[in-house]
């Protein structure tokens, strides 16, 4: 397994414990971003898992396949997460 990175963050006044971990094997790559908080004794988890493959293996059979921008994908997730707030 990959090494995790941890930090505490605040989103719209709510403290979250953030964990990011990446892992790879057999040409497969995973990046997981988790945000956890507790409110009224209930644990809430917001998570995103990005799974990709070694592009060179896929391009052999389909040269039209292109890489995606992993940083942009993560930014979209963070943009969505930044709208999170408890209403009560």
């Amino acid at each position: 397994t990959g090494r995790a990175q941890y930090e505490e963050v605040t989103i719209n006044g709510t403290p979250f414990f953030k964990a990011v971990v990446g892992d790879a094997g057999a040409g497969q790559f995973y990046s997981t971003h988790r945000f956890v908080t507790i409110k009224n004794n209930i644990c809430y988890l917001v998570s995103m898992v990005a799974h990709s493959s070694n592009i060179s293996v896929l391009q052999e059979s389909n040269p039209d396949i292109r890489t995606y921008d992993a940083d942009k994908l993560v930014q979209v997730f963070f943009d969505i997460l930044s709208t999170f707030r408890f209403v009560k």
Side-chain angles (χ1 to χ4, degrees):
T1 62
R3 258 186 204 264
Q5 299 173 342
Y6 303 100
E7 68 178 301
E8 292 182 21
V9 297
T10 301
I11 300 170
N12 291 325
T14 301
F16 281 86
F17 179 75
K18 174 184 172 184
V20 178
V21 65
D23 203 1
Q28 305 295 305
F29 307 101
Y30 294 87
S31 176
T32 303
H33 299 258
R34 290 190 176 128
F35 292 78
V36 180
T37 192
I38 296 175
K39 176 115 172 146
N40 299 326
N41 292 321
I42 299 171
C43 180
Y44 294 88
L45 166 70
V46 181
S47 181
M48 177 196 75
V49 178
H51 171 224
S52 61
S53 297
N54 183 332
I55 192 79
S56 63
V57 173
L58 298 173
Q59 284 178 325
E60 289 176 9
S61 61
N62 187 343
D64 294 328
I65 291 178
R66 301 284 181 253
T67 59
Y68 74 100
D69 184 338
D71 292 336
K72 186 174 182 179
L73 177 65
V74 170
Q75 186 59 53
V76 168
F77 173 68
F78 291 154
D79 289 348
I80 293 167
L81 184 61
S82 73
T83 68
F84 179 90
R85 66 183 175 93
F86 287 103
V87 293
K88 289 187 178 184

